[in-house]
Amino acid sequence: MANVGKITKLLVKVVGSDRVSDKHFDLIPYGRDLSPAKEKLPTHVVMPKSREEIQGILKIANMHDVPIYIRGGGTSHWDAFLAQEPGIMLDLSFLNAIVEINERDLTATVQPNCTWAKLDFELRKQGLTYLCSEAGGPAMTIGGSVMKGGGGPHGTAKFGFHGNQDIITLEMVLPNGEVVETGSAAWPSAGKFKRQCLGPDLAGLFIGAEGILGICTELTLRIRPATDFKERLLATMDSLDKVIEFGHFINRHVGDEYLQGAYLWVDPSAPDVFLLMMDVFGYEKEIIEHRKERVIEKVKELGGVFGDSEPANGYFDGILTGLTDIFATGVWHFFGSGSLRIDDIGVIYKIWREELIEKRGYTKAGFGGNFLPRDWLAFMVTNYKEPEESEMIMKLADEINELVLSGPVVPYGIGGREGLRPIVEARNTGYYRLLKVIKKAVDPKNILQRGIFIPKEELL
Amino acid sequence: MRIEEYAEMIYACGRCEFCRGFDFNERCPEIFTQKWESSTARGRMLIARALLEGKLEYTEDLAERIFGCFLCARCKEECKKAAQIDIVEITKAMRADFVDHGVKIPEAGNEMASLAMEKGNIFGDSPAFHAKWAEGLEFKKGSGILFYPGCLASHRFKEKTRILVQLLQAAGYDLDFLGDEQTCCGTPLWITGNMAEAKKMVSAQLKKMQNRGVKVIITPCPSCFRAFDEEYPRILGVEKLPIKVRHTSEVLEEIVEKKKIKLKHKVKKRVTYHDPCEIGRYRDIYEPPRKVLNAIPGLEFVEMSRKEAESFCCGGGGGVKLMYPDYSRAVSRERLTDVLATGSEIVATICPACEMNLTHATYEADAAIRVLDVAELMAVSAGLVDEEILDPYYIPDD
């Protein structure tokens, strides 16, 4: 392991003494994420303000074989950004500017730690908004969401995960310090307006890679006019088959979906009650009204019952400002999650009900899912007490993850050794082997996110 | 360790980062000034957890993260949505742990606490100087209604305090005043963690007031108000003090509602209002000062973008103004940008600490804007004071 004091001195030369710390109390806040993963401390935290400073930090890391871990808003789960071994925590907090809002091209260029809330606040002043986001609250960063290929309840029923429609170009600093741009930005005399051009879509290489291939320093996103009208609905159904039929209905008109957000929730205390919260999409009142009527007709046809829509308002309105009462009964953990076909949701539901509730007797986790264009993001989520329940929850989650991912479910949010990494490694797919080849090519010393997604030993 | 009492809350932090907000300058003045993750409430809960688990010790260089908190409760407000953690009380317990463990805290904090104990005020002035603001005013000893200005109002805002008393007296309140016997309420002790002498001081203060027949305390200072109303009972282990404690925001509202004074002169000014943290977020007192301002004829009231529970600190909280003056100045400058964005000629507030910090910010920025107590605007409208005090370049008789 490199000498901590020596690395501190070198980092100070790059960014100055006021943006580097190796003090224990400054490192502790980077030791945990939003999961029960064990504390993992970095040796340094450094807060760069430019890509040039990042290049300087990478040079030190490569020269002294010190891994770098990338930190956005710190709202990730699954051991995704924690220092898997002693290394530098690259806190990108200062790279949070809105570089440009182009109202004509409907693009916004931002630095990675610009939060969704900050961008939306500025966009709304011009009657604009973004396409989709997770429910990570006010500190959730755009770079963090995109680099982990996140998805959530807002806009995703129409636009899908980050990277599906909303990312146009990326500026990435590679582990060797070289700066590359993707999409139309790869052609210096053009501009930032198009994702797929020139050749292979290299943005797709970085989106969802959880930072193992490069550090994002700028992104250009698709934006859109804000909708002036909104309708939120809440309904319950009495069977999952009916929910599945409803799922097919709302996004069968591919590209012209009825909803921009649809969230399913099943409480463990009532496993046969399927609650749906819906955010109707449209730019004109007539369109909204029409869609609302069609959704109501379909829900009623399926035997659903409508209720007070206020919880749906609270849910969809709270995505950026923060959902309420989230830790009222303990801290969170998401598990048993992933992407799957609309028809396959029953597989996860069955595991939740039979394996988790009935067989293991764990009755505190709910079951949920977000509709995406032609698929689901489904999950289980529980509140638990730290520290006494942490180990039990991790063990339980590991067992359930293994069961879920043995089925028709694609993992999402891979993370480190306490995330889904061991499961991905064990499958040893061709995809995984190619990813390792690419990782070795762009990061021969395994500097970036060492131990995240791919174990260190796999890259020797 | 005192933080053991809060272990359950400390472990309840889900690390959601609502406390941090969407930009450095958006909600927390500590992350705005210090920038480190360890200066967020979430970071502090992990630090507290490490202290509880014996993985970290209180050290002198940790002090900046704990004593650099403005205790503005903005994080606590956000945490109402998430885990209901009382971050302010945990921070105060951490400060007290520093002192209990003999770890050096910022010198200015200790000085403030020492002066409050030894001299009876945080400025170390003599008792005669302490009461100088009251020269020429008449008080009614033993009336039962004690006017308690507190250190800042006595020492830095003599004219404002005189005007406030004139207004209260014109409205019919028979005020008593301790004069040379007035001493600091004790807030400097608990915000710097110096709790060893707190109970003795609080008991003596209460005895002095009871001996004088005090039934009601009226104070313009939110810290003094909360000291008597919250900290004294807590330190003494009683549910309530035998004395009713009223902040002037409530009293001024009463004057307006009961028409105890006639607001006859128009105050043709565009005025915004800054919510003091200690009566706003701490006590949900948002409406009374606004009611008063809206009752003043001619006054055009405009809100700042950050207001009420989402108001940004003035930079004067938590003892930071003394312990880390550069941070305090940076926060007051940031708050002034909110004020200036409203196009107001006057920013009204109802806390001497806020008035001082915002006044300093206007001086530093050479902004043509006057910082006034709500009572001063009322006094102008009531014809008790000349409207010259509304002028941005007016020099008070302090």
mmCIF file of all heavy atoms in Angstrom, chain B residues 210-228:
data_model
loop_
_atom_site.group_PDB
_atom_site.id
_atom_site.type_symbol
_atom_site.label_atom_id
_atom_site.label_comp_id
_atom_site.label_asym_id
_atom_site.label_seq_id
_atom_site.Cartn_x
_atom_site.Cartn_y
_atom_site.Cartn_z
ATOM 1 N N GLN B 210 -37.646 35.142 40.181
ATOM 2 C CA GLN B 210 -38.775 34.840 41.076
ATOM 3 C C GLN B 210 -38.814 35.796 42.261
ATOM 4 O O GLN B 210 -39.879 36.246 42.673
ATOM 5 C CB GLN B 210 -38.694 33.393 41.552
ATOM 6 C CG GLN B 210 -39.098 32.405 40.445
ATOM 7 C CD GLN B 210 -39.071 30.978 40.909
ATOM 8 O OE1 GLN B 210 -38.027 30.483 41.353
ATOM 9 N NE2 GLN B 210 -40.203 30.300 40.817
ATOM 10 N N ASN B 211 -37.627 36.113 42.794
ATOM 11 C CA ASN B 211 -37.564 37.063 43.908
ATOM 12 C C ASN B 211 -38.117 38.427 43.529
ATOM 13 O O ASN B 211 -38.596 39.185 44.362
ATOM 14 C CB ASN B 211 -36.112 37.217 44.389
ATOM 15 C CG ASN B 211 -35.645 35.976 45.135
ATOM 16 O OD1 ASN B 211 -36.462 35.141 45.523
ATOM 17 N ND2 ASN B 211 -34.344 35.836 45.315
ATOM 18 N N ARG B 212 -38.013 38.728 42.234
ATOM 19 C CA ARG B 212 -38.477 40.036 41.757
ATOM 20 C C ARG B 212 -39.959 39.992 41.384
ATOM 21 O O ARG B 212 -40.544 40.982 40.949
ATOM 22 C CB ARG B 212 -37.642 40.453 40.552
ATOM 23 C CG ARG B 212 -37.640 41.936 40.279
ATOM 24 C CD ARG B 212 -36.678 42.218 39.140
ATOM 25 N NE ARG B 212 -36.786 43.602 38.716
ATOM 26 C CZ ARG B 212 -35.925 44.543 39.082
ATOM 27 N NH1 ARG B 212 -34.909 44.269 39.859
ATOM 28 N NH2 ARG B 212 -36.097 45.793 38.653
ATOM 29 N N GLY B 213 -40.542 38.823 41.486
ATOM 30 C CA GLY B 213 -41.977 38.710 41.194
ATOM 31 C C GLY B 213 -42.292 38.607 39.716
ATOM 32 O O GLY B 213 -43.394 38.948 39.269
ATOM 33 N N VAL B 214 -41.321 38.123 38.940
ATOM 34 C CA VAL B 214 -41.540 38.032 37.487
ATOM 35 C C VAL B 214 -42.531 36.909 37.182
ATOM 36 O O VAL B 214 -42.359 35.768 37.623
ATOM 37 C CB VAL B 214 -40.201 37.781 36.749
ATOM 38 C CG1 VAL B 214 -40.450 37.543 35.255
ATOM 39 C CG2 VAL B 214 -39.255 38.954 36.953
ATOM 40 N N LYS B 215 -43.556 37.258 36.426
ATOM 41 C CA LYS B 215 -44.560 36.266 35.995
ATOM 42 C C LYS B 215 -44.430 35.980 34.499
ATOM 43 O O LYS B 215 -44.762 34.894 34.037
ATOM 44 C CB LYS B 215 -45.985 36.792 36.265
ATOM 45 C CG LYS B 215 -46.265 37.100 37.742
ATOM 46 C CD LYS B 215 -46.545 35.818 38.506
ATOM 47 C CE LYS B 215 -46.992 36.077 39.934
ATOM 48 N NZ LYS B 215 -45.958 36.680 40.781
ATOM 49 N N VAL B 216 -43.988 37.030 33.787
ATOM 50 C CA VAL B 216 -43.871 36.920 32.319
ATOM 51 C C VAL B 216 -42.548 37.550 31.887
ATOM 52 O O VAL B 216 -42.172 38.609 32.398
ATOM 53 C CB VAL B 216 -45.033 37.673 31.609
ATOM 54 C CG1 VAL B 216 -44.892 37.593 30.091
ATOM 55 C CG2 VAL B 216 -46.381 37.143 32.046
ATOM 56 N N ILE B 217 -41.876 36.874 30.980
ATOM 57 C CA ILE B 217 -40.677 37.467 30.363
ATOM 58 C C ILE B 217 -41.026 37.800 28.920
ATOM 59 O O ILE B 217 -41.573 36.963 28.200
ATOM 60 C CB ILE B 217 -39.485 36.484 30.369
ATOM 61 C CG1 ILE B 217 -39.060 36.110 31.790
ATOM 62 C CG2 ILE B 217 -38.297 37.063 29.593
ATOM 63 C CD1 ILE B 217 -38.050 34.961 31.858
ATOM 64 N N ILE B 218 -40.687 39.021 28.489
ATOM 65 C CA ILE B 218 -40.803 39.385 27.076
ATOM 66 C C ILE B 218 -39.393 39.654 26.572
ATOM 67 O O ILE B 218 -38.665 40.471 27.140
ATOM 68 C CB ILE B 218 -41.683 40.637 26.871
ATOM 69 C CG1 ILE B 218 -43.131 40.346 27.286
ATOM 70 C CG2 ILE B 218 -41.630 41.102 25.422
ATOM 71 C CD1 ILE B 218 -44.054 41.555 27.208
ATOM 72 N N THR B 219 -39.018 38.961 25.529
ATOM 73 C CA THR B 219 -37.663 39.151 24.991
ATOM 74 C C THR B 219 -37.686 39.225 23.466
ATOM 75 O O THR B 219 -38.465 38.505 22.828
ATOM 76 C CB THR B 219 -36.714 38.025 25.456
ATOM 77 O OG1 THR B 219 -35.424 38.232 24.861
ATOM 78 C CG2 THR B 219 -37.208 36.637 25.085
ATOM 79 N N PRO B 220 -36.844 40.092 22.909
ATOM 80 C CA PRO B 220 -36.756 40.161 21.438
ATOM 81 C C PRO B 220 -35.779 39.129 20.876
ATOM 82 O O PRO B 220 -35.678 38.981 19.669
ATOM 83 C CB PRO B 220 -36.210 41.569 21.196
ATOM 84 C CG PRO B 220 -35.365 41.859 22.403
ATOM 85 C CD PRO B 220 -36.010 41.123 23.552
ATOM 86 N N CYS B 221 -35.061 38.454 21.766
ATOM 87 C CA CYS B 221 -33.990 37.551 21.312
ATOM 88 C C CYS B 221 -34.491 36.106 21.279
ATOM 89 O O CYS B 221 -34.841 35.535 22.320
ATOM 90 C CB CYS B 221 -32.792 37.676 22.248
ATOM 91 S SG CYS B 221 -31.522 36.456 21.868
ATOM 92 N N PRO B 222 -34.517 35.468 20.098
ATOM 93 C CA PRO B 222 -34.977 34.080 20.027
ATOM 94 C C PRO B 222 -34.136 33.116 20.866
ATOM 95 O O PRO B 222 -34.657 32.119 21.382
ATOM 96 C CB PRO B 222 -34.862 33.742 18.531
ATOM 97 C CG PRO B 222 -35.002 35.060 17.849
ATOM 98 C CD PRO B 222 -34.293 36.031 18.748
ATOM 99 N N SER B 223 -32.841 33.403 21.017
ATOM 100 C CA SER B 223 -31.998 32.512 21.835
ATOM 101 C C SER B 223 -32.398 32.607 23.305
ATOM 102 O O SER B 223 -32.495 31.586 24.001
ATOM 103 C CB SER B 223 -30.523 32.871 21.678
ATOM 104 O OG SER B 223 -30.108 32.623 20.369
ATOM 105 N N CYS B 224 -32.595 33.848 23.778
ATOM 106 C CA CYS B 224 -33.029 34.023 25.171
ATOM 107 C C CYS B 224 -34.412 33.390 25.375
ATOM 108 O O CYS B 224 -34.672 32.725 26.383
ATOM 109 C CB CYS B 224 -33.088 35.501 25.537
ATOM 110 S SG CYS B 224 -31.516 36.377 25.400
ATOM 111 N N PHE B 225 -35.276 33.616 24.409
ATOM 112 C CA PHE B 225 -36.629 33.058 24.462
ATOM 113 C C PHE B 225 -36.576 31.542 24.626
ATOM 114 O O PHE B 225 -37.199 30.957 25.517
ATOM 115 C CB PHE B 225 -37.360 33.455 23.169
ATOM 116 C CG PHE B 225 -38.633 32.720 22.885
ATOM 117 C CD1 PHE B 225 -39.724 32.818 23.739
ATOM 118 C CD2 PHE B 225 -38.768 31.941 21.735
ATOM 119 C CE1 PHE B 225 -40.915 32.148 23.462
ATOM 120 C CE2 PHE B 225 -39.939 31.270 21.450
ATOM 121 C CZ PHE B 225 -41.009 31.371 22.318
ATOM 122 N N ARG B 226 -35.772 30.892 23.787
ATOM 123 C CA ARG B 226 -35.679 29.434 23.854
ATOM 124 C C ARG B 226 -34.908 28.988 25.098
ATOM 125 O O ARG B 226 -35.164 27.910 25.636
ATOM 126 C CB ARG B 226 -35.029 28.878 22.592
ATOM 127 C CG ARG B 226 -35.927 29.029 21.349
ATOM 128 C CD ARG B 226 -35.343 28.287 20.169
ATOM 129 N NE ARG B 226 -34.994 26.938 20.523
ATOM 130 C CZ ARG B 226 -33.743 26.473 20.626
ATOM 131 N NH1 ARG B 226 -32.720 27.266 20.381
ATOM 132 N NH2 ARG B 226 -33.516 25.228 20.960
ATOM 133 N N ALA B 227 -33.974 29.806 25.521
ATOM 134 C CA ALA B 227 -33.233 29.452 26.744
ATOM 135 C C ALA B 227 -34.204 29.297 27.904
ATOM 136 O O ALA B 227 -34.228 28.265 28.580
ATOM 137 C CB ALA B 227 -32.188 30.515 27.056
ATOM 138 N N PHE B 228 -35.011 30.334 28.130
ATOM 139 C CA PHE B 228 -35.947 30.310 29.265
ATOM 140 C C PHE B 228 -37.060 29.282 29.060
ATOM 141 O O PHE B 228 -37.490 28.611 29.993
ATOM 142 C CB PHE B 228 -36.568 31.692 29.483
ATOM 143 C CG PHE B 228 -35.564 32.748 29.859
ATOM 144 C CD1 PHE B 228 -35.508 33.957 29.179
ATOM 145 C CD2 PHE B 228 -34.665 32.537 30.899
ATOM 146 C CE1 PHE B 228 -34.588 34.930 29.528
ATOM 147 C CE2 PHE B 228 -33.728 33.503 31.249
ATOM 148 C CZ PHE B 228 -33.685 34.706 30.563
#
